[in-house]
Amino acid sequence: TQLLEQSPQFLSIQEGENLTVYCNSSSVFSSLQWYRQEPGEGPVLLVTVVTGGEVKKLKRLTFQFGDARKDSSLHITAAQPGDTGLYLCAGARTGGFKTIFGAGTRLFVKA
Amino acid sequence: DAGVTQSPTHLIKTRGQHVTLRCSPISGHKSVSWYQQVLGQGPQFIFQYYEKEERGRGNFPDRFSARQFPNYSSELNVNALLLGDSALYLCASSQNEDLRPPYGYTFGSGTRLTVV
């Protein structure tokens, strides 16, 4: 059972469109991370958020951590084919050593 | 600088056999974690080691074991392989044990294990 629920599971859009993917849980996390994974590779860290309500921007990507630190969102502006991949959120609990991953959102951006 | 290296990259084993997967973390990283990623799912936590001690264990049977060596490299061992053990096994290294920002995991490319 995934404690982190990601939605949508799959998203196919045209180049230039905007999109938002969500990561939700009933648990509180001390930090939450977003990774992108391409076929045949390990996940690559995009960002870590730690403060409730925190917003971080990475070029066309905007990440937000919910006020209660139970959920997060990733917004991509003007998506490009290079954004194609599996987007994973991962949460770490206070004092815990186990980082839990969601099942991921598979994004396909068509040129 | 070399990233996280895993070996072998691909492996085919028969049911009931034993397998050893290896991981070398980034130089200076003392924590190694192992994850299993089944096709279409997110990574599932198996073990974390820090300073050669087991710090966490996921919900996996005792057939799964691991260890960390003095040079911080790690091995994951799986005994009595089942078809359901077929997956991508990922090793992740981190500088500290609780992934305090700005640090997170650096993953290797994984070992693709197929059990037939």
Side-chain angles (χ1 to χ4, degrees):
Chain A
T1 303
Q2 298 284 149
L3 298 182
L4 279 169
E5 299 291 334
Q6 290 191 242
S7 61
Q9 292 181 314
F10 181 79
L11 193 55
S12 180
I13 61 171
Q14 289 292 140
E15 181 177 4
E17 293 184 2
N18 301 333
L19 67 118
T20 302
V21 299
Y22 300 92
C23 176
N24 295 293
S25 176
S26 58
S27 301
V28 176
F29 293 97
S30 59
S31 67
L32 197 139
Q33 300 168 339
W34 284 91
Y35 293 81
R36 188 175 85 183
Q37 185 177 24
E38 299 190 31
E41 298 293 328
V44 175
L45 179 67
L46 297 174
V47 77
T48 299
V49 286
V50 294
T51 305
E54 181 177 3
V55 177
K56 280 192 174 180
K57 292 193 175 184
L58 186 66
K59 297 183 180 179
R60 294 177 294 100
L61 278 60
T62 301
F63 305 86
Q64 184 164 8
F65 201 12
D67 291 341
R69 291 185 290 137
K70 293 182 179 181
D71 54 84
S72 181
S73 64
L74 159 60
H75 182 80
I76 301 179
T77 303
Q80 299 176 359
D83 296 327
T84 293
L86 178 67
Y87 288 82
L88 295 160
C89 67
R93 297 184 187 175
T94 302
F97 302 106
K98 179 169 67 173
T99 294
I100 301 166
F101 281 79
T105 292
R106 189 164 298 280
L107 172 65
F108 182 65
V109 182
K110 294 175 283 188
Chain B
D1 283 343
V4 178
T5 57
Q6 292 188 243
S7 63
T9 54
H10 295 83
L11 199 55
I12 299 175
K13 288 284 191 178
T14 304
R15 278 179 297 176
Q17 284 188 315
H18 162 271
V19 68
T20 297
L21 310 181
R22 296 178 174 83
C23 172
S24 292
I26 288 176
S27 178
H29 284 196
K30 298 179 179 180
S31 178
V32 169
S33 298
W34 287 94
Y35 283 81
Q36 180 196 64
Q37 186 175 25
V38 175
L39 196 63
Q41 297 184 16
Q44 297 290 319
F45 174 77
I46 310 176
F47 287 108
Q48 183 186 19
Y49 278 78
Y50 179 75
E51 287 283 17
K52 292 154 282 183
E53 291 187 2
E54 182 182 305
R55 292 296 208 172
R57 183 185 182 112
N59 189 25
F60 279 81
D62 291 343
R63 299 184 296 107
F64 288 76
S65 64
R67 54 180 175 168
Q68 187 176 34
F69 298 99
N71 66 353
Y72 302 111
S73 67
S74 178
E75 282 183 355
L76 175 69
N77 295 282
V78 187
N79 292 323
L81 285 166
L82 303 174
L83 295 180
D85 294 330
S86 296
L88 180 67
Y89 287 85
L90 294 163
C91 172
S93 80
S94 55
Q95 211 159 12
N96 50 41
E97 58 184 324
D98 60 0
L99 303 179
R100 286 191 300 275
Y103 308 113
Y105 283 137
T106 300
F107 281 90
S109 295
T111 293
R112 172 72 62 188
L113 172 65
T114 302
V115 182
V116 296

